[in-house]
Amino acid sequence: MRPATEAMLYRLLRPLVAHLMRRGWGYIAMRDLLKRIYVDEALHGLEGGERPTDSQVSAITGINRREVKRLREAASNPESSEARDPMAGVNATARVVGTWVSSALFRTADGAPRVLPLRAEQAPASFEELLRTAKVDVRAKTVLEELEKAGVLERLPDNRVRLLRAAFTPGDLRDKLLFLAANVGDHLRSAFHNLESGGPVFIERALFHNGIVAGRLDAARPALSDMADRLLRQCNEVLLEGNLARTDTSGPPAREGRLRRLRLGVYYYETDADDRP
């Protein structure tokens, strides 16, 4: 399997390395980060028993014991640790948009997202009620500012708000990078689960065509984007129906059993026909 794994990694890492080089990330920075990841994953895999020794982690990762000790000490420093959930704010804002376009309360008879008054006393379907339905425990002003910054929402003069796009993409570069990490990371986990698991497989499919005339593809692209939006919206409607999808995962476990999470994505890419993956 080694040649096949190397071929897979070569193709998998090329777009990542190309992006890092464009942003000034050289090999040394990537190497140091990989050391941290190897140690973190080794410690995660050895959880459950006694605290693993540096020698055990070194044997699993191939990183020398002194370096393992240094990395573990650095990771235990509170000042160097990252926030518990850096995606929390991004996910909350995306959840607001998802609820707005999927929940019947916030859509018109023809399925379009309603123009909402800001406060609940103005109408049953309001922006405040939208935040409650999406179980977002963040000030309305903060969410409004994030949606405005991303170009997703417009404030109207009569104290109402209108959704401009049915999908949320963050405007801040840091949030864009977090979104990328979450989406691509789960895509990889899904693919590797299907390689390693003997049980049910996750959805991991793609449509591929080569040699399409550029002008015809330009004409077809808007329809493809619309179909992708409708698919994800319909999936979200199914999950929100009857409160099947709990959005407040910080509470006690559901009576039906332990909680799980899912990510269902659709992606699109195009390039010259001779630029093979």
Side-chain angles (χ1 to χ4, degrees):
M1 290 297 292
R2 187 179 182 88
T5 301
E6 286 184 355
M8 177 270 292
L9 284 172
Y10 186 83
R11 293 187 175 203
L12 194 65
L13 292 174
R14 281 190 67 185
L16 174 62
V17 170
H19 172 78
L20 293 176
M21 289 172 63
R22 287 195 297 269
R23 300 192 66 84
W25 259 62
Y27 162 73
I28 299 300
M30 185 63 173
R31 181 203 65 186
D32 292 343
L33 180 61
L34 280 173
K35 286 182 183 180
R36 282 176 49 199
I37 296 170
Y38 265 89
V39 171
D40 287 347
E41 286 298 314
L43 292 171
H44 179 73
L46 293 169
E47 284 179 354
E50 294 183 3
R51 188 172 185 270
T53 66
D54 293 343
S55 296
Q56 288 175 308
V57 175
S58 177
I60 293 170
T61 62
I63 300 170
N64 71 67
R65 192 156 51 93
R66 182 179 298 176
E67 187 70 355
V68 168
K69 184 175 185 294
R70 183 187 69 80
L71 290 167
R72 293 181 73 170
E73 289 174 350
S76 64
N77 182 356
E79 294 182 2
S80 66
S81 61
E82 296 178 355
R84 181 175 175 272
D85 183 7
M87 281 293 293
V90 183
N91 284 337
T93 312
R95 201 160 62 231
V96 169
V97 177
T99 304
W100 199 338
V101 300
S102 302
S103 176
L105 177 62
F106 305 103
R107 294 185 300 167
T108 61
D110 61 358
R114 290 181 183 274
V115 175
L116 301 177
L118 288 176
R119 294 177 178 80
E121 60 266 20
Q122 296 174 270
S126 65
F127 191 77
E128 286 183 345
E129 183 59 31
L130 174 63
L131 296 187
R132 279 194 286 270
T133 302
K135 296 183 173 66
V136 172
D137 188 20
V138 180
R139 291 174 57 204
K141 181 175 181 293
T142 302
V143 179
L144 283 169
E145 289 172 352
E146 284 299 314
L147 291 174
E148 277 189 300
K149 187 169 65 175
V152 176
L153 174 144
E154 177 187 26
R155 295 200 209 201
L156 302 176
D158 55 357
N159 217 26
R160 296 187 303 162
V161 289
R162 175 167 57 205
L163 191 67
L164 300 177
R165 289 191 284 113
F168 171 75
T169 51
D172 183 75
L173 177 59
R174 174 185 176 276
D175 290 344
K176 286 181 179 180
L177 290 172
L178 290 171
F179 234 52
L180 181 151
N183 288 334
V184 178
D186 275 351
H187 190 167
L188 283 173
R189 289 183 181 94
S190 173
F192 289 132
H193 165 86
N194 293 344
L195 281 176
E196 299 163 2
S197 174
V201 298
F202 292 138
I203 300 169
E204 210 274 314
R205 304 183 185 97
L207 177 68
F208 176 77
H209 286 286
N210 197 25
I212 302 176
V213 176
R216 294 186 178 183
L217 188 55
D218 290 341
R221 195 182 303 114
L224 298 176
S225 178
D226 182 63
M227 284 188 282
D229 284 342
R230 281 189 282 118
L231 169 65
L232 293 175
R233 194 180 310 176
Q234 289 165 3
C235 292
N236 202 34
E237 288 172 11
V238 170
L239 293 168
L240 289 174
E241 192 175 286
N243 199 29
L244 172 64
R246 286 176 43 133
T247 54
D248 55 336
T249 58
S250 59
R255 287 189 295 274
E256 296 88 350
R258 65 194 180 101
L259 299 176
R260 299 184 68 83
R261 70 175 184 89
L262 72 82
R263 186 183 304 271
L264 174 64
V266 177
Y267 72 93
Y268 175 90
Y269 179 69
E270 68 178 61
T271 187
D272 294 339
D274 58 355
D275 182 8
R276 300 303 175 95

